[in-house]
Amino acid sequence: MKLSLIRLAHTTPGFRSVAKRIHPVWFFRLTLWSVTLSSLFWPHTKKLSSPFREVLRGRFDNQELRQRARYYLLYLRLFKELELTWGNWEGRHGDWIKIEGESHLEKALQQGNGAILISSHNYGFSKLVAPALALRGYRVHRGGGGKKDGRRVVRWGKDYRISWQYLDYKGDYWHRLQLIKAIRDALAGNGVVHISPRAYQQGDEDMAIELFGRKYFLDATWFRLFEMCRAPVLPCFAVGNTEGQVRIVIHPVLPLRATEMAREFAEIQHTYLTKLPEFGRLWKDIYLSRGKL
Amino acid sequence: MNGMEIHKRVVQLVREKVAGTKDEDLAIPFVLLGEDGLFDSVTALELVLAIEKEFAIVVKDDEVRPENLGNIESIVSFIQAALSRQAQSLVVILKPTAYASMLGMLSVSI
């Protein structure tokens, strides 16, 4: 049962006007209901949540683990689909997106060196950070690879470039250099840059972090760049609440030195993964690597 | 500023960024920036910013390419071209005909 209510309602021409009128919270409830049914009767859905349950067994009692596994499936689905609603819910984003800790960002921008928001790559709804902050009047740049520009226009609306920019990264050295130069220029203009650095299986020992018994390495290049730019770096996590809203939480500024910055960011990331594991999308990787440790 | 002078100052900047750079590393065919180059992307950015500051030029995003910044030789040519472009635009602004055309544009917009 892979019927997606959000995808159906927000992308099918005849249904769009109806979907516009339904409150975002109702979509959240309907999707939760659909996921619950799916996990009861559909083996594939059960299989999807098994790494989550296996890794976290013992951390929560059975009832809570079952509940969290249900929400894990829900957020896995919403992560892919929530951004499809962006254009359709124009004008009512305030109903379902809340920003916490905005004062940290405002204070950071007062220094005039711009601000860097960093999110965990495989956690939460970080794709919504740039468009949501742009709606609040910030000049936001989001760095990274991803979809072709045409598809972004379909998703975020044709005027998305006016309020926020996507800084493309196509993988090679010269694109990387162009990207980091564009980031540095954006910061020099007191802009906000949002990045979700990946964690790798190999890397610099200084950048090592441990997540549930598995060692990962943050990308040292990003943290060296942050240190070089001397712009304040703030962790930023986009999670959901049980009422169907997305909470974008901005944390206070991290230390300036790259290694300390990475360590503190890793600690915050670990706290989120421990307290709100249902927003993580790395459980399968952790589960599969367990036998290899 | 002639080519030799630019070359000397670029070499000095490179040496400041990577201590202990040998002369053979800076030979013309040697790849300075790039996948197989001497500099990783962050150090390369530091070098680009230092070049912008030292020669008072702006390196646009689309100019960050191997043919402009791949080795010492290409960096020197790129700087020379950028400096001559700047000088030309200054000449255009100082020419009386340029003033006349600017005034013409002004009157049209009024």
Side-chain angles (χ1 to χ4, degrees), chain A residues 87-101:
Chain A
N88 227 15
W89 283 342
E90 204 176 0
R92 58 194 309 181
H93 294 123
D95 287 356
W96 62 287
I97 298 183
K98 305 282 169 202
I99 300 175
E100 296 172 21

Side-chain angles (χ1 to χ4, degrees), chain A residues 171-174 176-178 180-182 184-185 220-222 224-225 228-229, chain B residues 33-35 39-46 48-49 52 59 61 64-66:
Chain A
D172 71 3
Y173 179 92
W174 292 98
R176 192 158 62 237
L177 187 52
Q178 282 175 1
I180 64 176
K181 185 169 184 309
R184 194 260 168 206
D185 291 345
T221 310
W222 283 122
R224 278 183 51 220
L225 175 72
M228 193 202 95
C229 291
Chain B
L33 272 63
E35 293 291 358
F39 286 7
D40 67 14
S41 50
V42 177
T43 321
L45 176 65
E46 283 182 301
V48 172
L49 298 178
E52 283 187 336
V59 182
D61 290 350
V64 179
R65 290 198 307 254

Side-chain angles (χ1 to χ4, degrees), chain B residues 22-54:
Chain B
K22 293 171 198 156
D23 284 340
E24 56 264 33
D25 290 346
L26 304 177
I28 288 167
F30 193 88
V31 180
L32 198 63
L33 272 63
E35 293 291 358
D36 308 317
L38 190 65
F39 286 7
D40 67 14
S41 50
V42 177
T43 321
L45 176 65
E46 283 182 301
L47 179 68
V48 172
L49 298 178
I51 288 169
E52 283 187 336
K53 199 175 167 187
E54 178 77 24

Side-chain angles (χ1 to χ4, degrees), chain A residues 77-242:
Chain A
R77 190 174 281 189
L78 287 182
F79 171 72
K80 288 179 188 161
E81 295 173 356
L82 214 54
E83 57 189 70
L84 296 173
T85 66
W86 189 261
N88 227 15
W89 283 342
E90 204 176 0
R92 58 194 309 181
H93 294 123
D95 287 356
W96 62 287
I97 298 183
K98 305 282 169 202
I99 300 175
E100 296 172 21
E102 201 177 339
S103 59
H104 298 304
L105 180 60
E106 279 169 11
K107 203 173 156 190
L109 287 172
Q110 279 168 12
Q111 293 173 21
N113 295 331
I116 300 165
L117 298 174
I118 48 171
S119 304
S120 178
H121 190 80
N122 285 320
Y123 190 88
F125 305 109
S126 47
K127 283 180 191 173
L128 296 175
V129 172
L133 285 175
L135 282 178
R136 312 262 311 160
Y138 295 97
R139 278 182 301 116
V140 193
H141 303 253
R142 176 160 166 77
K147 294 179 177 60
K148 287 180 182 160
D149 197 53
R151 286 187 65 188
R152 271 189 223 123
V153 170
V154 171
R155 188 139 304 177
W156 303 113
K158 61 182 173 195
D159 294 333
Y160 91 93
R161 285 190 220 89
I162 296 169
S163 49
W164 66 285
Q165 282 188 21
Y166 203 98
L167 305 173
D168 250 326
Y169 171 46
K170 290 169 190 155
D172 71 3
Y173 179 92
W174 292 98
H175 275 116
R176 192 158 62 237
L177 187 52
Q178 282 175 1
L179 168 73
I180 64 176
K181 185 169 184 309
I183 287 174
R184 194 260 168 206
D185 291 345
L187 293 170
N190 207 25
V192 178
V193 174
H194 178 236
I195 292 161
S196 310
R198 278 175 189 271
Y200 296 95
Q201 293 181 4
Q202 288 166 340
D204 293 2
E205 205 51 49
D206 285 353
M207 295 284 143
I209 53 170
E210 201 177 300
L211 298 173
F212 296 88
R214 176 90 167 83
K215 206 172 185 181
Y216 289 96
F217 298 87
L218 292 169
D219 190 341
T221 310
W222 283 122
F223 289 90
R224 278 183 51 220
L225 175 72
F226 300 158
E227 186 178 327
M228 193 202 95
C229 291
R230 300 198 153 267
V233 179
L234 304 96
C236 173
F237 289 82
V239 291
N241 63 15
T242 49

Side-chain angles (χ1 to χ4, degrees), chain B:
Chain B
M1 196 183 295
N2 63 29
M4 283 295 284
E5 214 174 312
I6 295 172
H7 185 277
K8 204 172 148 190
R9 281 160 77 171
V10 170
V11 168
Q12 203 178 336
L13 287 176
V14 171
R15 286 191 197 282
E16 279 170 21
K17 295 295 154 210
V18 181
T21 312
K22 293 171 198 156
D23 284 340
E24 56 264 33
D25 290 346
L26 304 177
I28 288 167
F30 193 88
V31 180
L32 198 63
L33 272 63
E35 293 291 358
D36 308 317
L38 190 65
F39 286 7
D40 67 14
S41 50
V42 177
T43 321
L45 176 65
E46 283 182 301
L47 179 68
V48 172
L49 298 178
I51 288 169
E52 283 187 336
K53 199 175 167 187
E54 178 77 24
F55 298 98
I57 57 169
V58 176
V59 182
K60 292 176 197 150
D61 290 350
D62 58 353
E63 289 172 336
V64 179
R65 290 198 307 254
E67 55 269 32
N68 292 334
L69 302 165
N71 55 35
I72 295 278
E73 171 86 326
S74 56
I75 293 174
V76 171
S77 316
F78 172 71
I79 294 169
Q80 271 180 317
L83 288 174
S84 74
R85 266 201 312 273
Q86 266 183 4
Q88 273 172 11
S89 61
L90 202 67
V91 168
V92 169
I93 288 172
L94 292 174
K95 268 186 183 172
T97 47
Y99 275 120
S101 65
M102 278 164 70
L103 283 170
M105 279 161 62
L106 196 67
S107 60
V108 167
S109 61
I110 286 167

